[in-house]
Amino acid sequence: MDTLTPEQRSQRMSLVRSTGSKAEMSVRRISHAMGYRFRLHRRDLPGTPDLVFPRLKAVIFVHGCFWHQHSCPAGNRIPKSRIDFWTKKLEGNVARDRRNLHELRRGGWRVLVVWECQVVSIEKLASRIRRFLSVQTG
Ligand SMILES: [Zn+2]
């Protein structure tokens, strides 16, 4: 039984999101150090992107490998108990991600997905973010 109101649930989720990810903090720090202005977790956009650069019409998602099923060792692991539950849940996440990405792109947004496991080299990540954000759009 789910005893949380939708508000409580989304509050809890946003707490998890904003405190849970070291990877996201790295991406924020890097983008900030490059002088870019961004907003966090804009709920009015599909998938509530982690970082939104309104002037650049660009968004960055920082995805946990497990929850979003990255094709890496951390993502390819399904818990051994309640396999049906997890399979359904994780496949649902992947399908939702795909829909969100599609909708964002249709709305003219450029999208970068940074996977948690890719945040091992800050230099590599920084140059990837720089490349992504410095692209000139029309
Ligand atoms: Zn990964």
Side-chain angles (χ1 to χ4, degrees):
M1 273 275 278
D2 194 348
T3 55
L4 295 174
T5 67
E7 290 77 40
Q8 286 171 322
R9 190 178 310 104
S10 72
Q11 200 181 18
R12 190 161 301 183
M13 300 267 289
S14 76
L15 281 176
V16 169
R17 289 185 71 127
S18 51
T19 60
S21 168
K22 253 170 70 180
E24 188 186 323
M25 293 311 289
S26 300
V27 172
R28 284 194 211 174
R29 247 196 316 277
I30 290 167
S31 306
H32 186 78
M34 289 176 190
Y36 289 105
R37 300 285 182 85
F38 53 87
R39 289 176 54 191
L40 299 173
H41 307 144
R42 255 181 66 176
R43 284 159 201 272
D44 58 324
L45 289 176
T48 314
D50 297 305
L51 283 77
V52 180
F53 303 79
R55 301 230 312 247
L56 300 170
K57 261 267 171 157
V59 305
I60 299 181
F61 286 99
V62 185
H63 277 349
C65 296
F66 172 70
W67 289 106
H68 298 271
Q69 290 293 283
H70 190 210
S71 55
C72 73
N76 281 327
R77 219 176 41 212
I78 289 203
K80 292 201 167 57
S81 65
R82 304 180 72 200
I83 290 174
D84 286 351
F85 166 82
W86 282 110
T87 305
K88 214 172 130 190
K89 169 142 193 75
L90 295 171
E91 279 174 359
N93 287 350
V94 171
R96 195 172 326 112
D97 288 344
R98 205 178 296 130
R99 263 197 319 272
N100 290 333
L101 219 81
H102 182 75
E103 267 182 51
L104 282 162
R105 288 190 171 132
R106 223 176 36 191
W109 293 88
R110 294 188 308 117
V111 181
L112 178 70
V113 175
V114 174
W115 295 95
E116 222 164 28
C117 68
Q118 294 169 335
V119 188
V120 278
S121 157
I122 295 299
E123 283 94 70
K124 263 193 211 157
L125 181 64
S127 69
R128 197 168 156 225
I129 291 172
R130 183 178 294 113
R131 264 201 314 278
F132 174 69
L133 293 177
S134 64
V135 166
Q136 299 296 319
T137 49

